[in-house]
Structure formats: structure tokens, C-alpha cells
Amino acid sequence: MNQQIPDVSDQTLSHIAKKYKLNPARLTMLAGNVNKVFEHVNPENPTILRLTPAQRRTLEEILAEADFVHYLAQKGGPVADVIPASDGNLAVGTEQGWYAVLFAKAQGRLPRQEDWNEQFYYMWGKLTGWLHAQSCAYTPAVPARRRQWWEDDLLKIEESIPRSETQVLQRARELKDQLHSFTKDSNSYGLIHNDLHMRNFFIDDNRIMVFDFDDCCYHWFINDIAVILYHALARFGKPPGRWEGEKAFAADFLTHFKRGYDTEHQLDAFWWLQLPVFMKLRRVAIYVFYHQALDFAQLSEEWVDVIHRTRRDIEQDFPVTQLDLADWLSS
């Protein structure tokens, strides 16, 4: 399956720009993978315009995301705030099937290799803990709600994975069943970012500025941490659980991350021990994304190897990290 999103017509773009009092000539496209993302180039007030096709999200889901982001910004959080349209609405819909949200442009830059140190891990953990603490207290100001975790497009397993991949499908069902058996309470479950890896925030003067809440959903808080750790372990193109030094890095990363996290929110040790379970869920979600987004007939040999390895790891239940979480927690 290769899900392509349509192009945005000039007429639609002009219509949306008018709603936000933007100059269409100053809109420069930044990305167009699952959403159409533009920067409105203005030295005094740079903004980011995101257009989401109706085939991906409902207007209610977009409004729920915008409300959560605006709530976090109003609490003083380091997030790229939502800028209302001229009529005061946090999102704008069009008859052509697009939903628009305007964000302040996050200040700073993407993390670089030299940023990966104890202070960075601590900051990342502190930010994540703060987000979760705010989620515990969050009451939506709009009647719309975001999806529950099992409704995520990347967990639509049977719709995306070929029936012939029986072992992958079985492993994925087992993971989902395991998660459904976990308890939910306000201290461990709520609205989370759900994609808080190192390309969804900027570093700006020793703080982290978060953006892209497009995948936010109701989930266990530990899932945010599992996503972070999964991508931290894979940041140099190395598969999690395989590279030399991975165990030591994971222990160091988590130690300082948790130290920062605990200053804002505390999770029971039980949830930290479940990190491998949620990291495996992330691996499944990534594999589903490959099937949804890539044209398998046009892949390079490198991509073919990545996809085959991911499938094999899921089928064989290959460990996502060499770190023993029980030993780490007790150390």
C-alpha cells in the first residue's frame, strides 16, 4: 500500500491564507509526506501552516490537537503555540477536504551529534515529565477528542500488512492484547505527544522547543519514553538491540533522562520495566508505516534490507535493547 496525499490547489491555499491573514506569495513548502507543511516567511513573525487531508484526520481530531497544544503553551510550556484564524477558530476547514492549523515557528535548531550528552538527556526527560504532568491535569476546552492508542493509523495492522505475513500479524496481535491487559489511571495514562523523537523538537538556548503533535493520542505515558528510547538507540542508523556499546548507551541515556523526568512526574517502576513491550509496539508501527507509505516496487537495496530486517525482528521477537531494565532500575 502506498498512500499518496493530493496536492493543494493555489485556490485552496489562497483561501486558507486569507483566513489567517497571510500572504500566499510568502508560503514556502517544507514537507509534504503525510501533511502539507509551509513556512510563512516573515522576519518579524515567522509561522508554520500545516494542511492535513480529510482522509487522515477529522476536523474534530484537529481541533482536539490544537486545543491541547494551546493549553500547553498557556501553561508556559516550550511548545510551538497554535495561532487562531481571524474568526478565532483554532483550525480552518475547506470544501476541498483540507484542515489547516497555523503554528508559531519554533525557535532553535535540530539536535546535532555534539548535543548528545548527559545534560541533553536530562532536559529531554524533564520536558517529557512536564508534558505528562500537564496531561494529568488537562481538561479539553472543546468537545472533540483525540483517538485512543489502538485507533492510531499505524496500528491498523490487518488493513496494512499482507495476510501472507502471518507471523508478523500474530506478533502484532499479541502485543496489542498485552497492552489491553494493562491498567489505566490518571498518573500513567493520558494524552501524549506519541512521536517525541529528536526530529520533532529544536534546541534553543539550553531548552527544548517541541512541535508536531500530529500523532498525539490517549496512551500510557511510558509509550512516549519508549518511542524516545527506540529512536535514540537508532539515531546513527543502527538497529536497536544490535550495535556494540548499545547497552551502556541505553543505561546512560535512561539514567539521566529519568533523573530529569522525575523532577516533573513520577511513574511506578512497573511502567519502566514495560519499556521493551512498548518499544516493540513502536517497531510494529514503523513496519506498518513502511507498508502504508512506501512503494515496495521502487525501493533501493538498502531499503529492502531495512524492511526485511524489521519484519524478521518482529517475527522472531528480537530484543529491542540489550539493557536489562530490572538491573538498571536497581542500580
Side-chain angles (χ1 to χ4, degrees), residues 220-236:
W220 286 275
F221 294 151
I222 197 64
N223 188 71
D224 259 347
I225 302 170
V227 168
I228 290 167
L229 182 59
Y230 187 96
H231 289 279
L233 296 180
R235 74 192 190 285
F236 297 128

Side-chain angles (χ1 to χ4, degrees), residues 1 3 16 45 75 113 119 179 230 264 269 287 299 302 327:
M1 186 192 311
Q3 298 179 351
I16 293 171
N45 185 32
K75 289 292 183 179
Q113 184 171 341
Q119 179 61 21
L179 264 67
Y230 187 96
E264 302 290 342
Y287 188 63
L299 296 178
E302 181 180 2
D327 287 348

Side-chain angles (χ1 to χ4, degrees), residues 143 151 206:
E151 299 172 313
N206 293 318

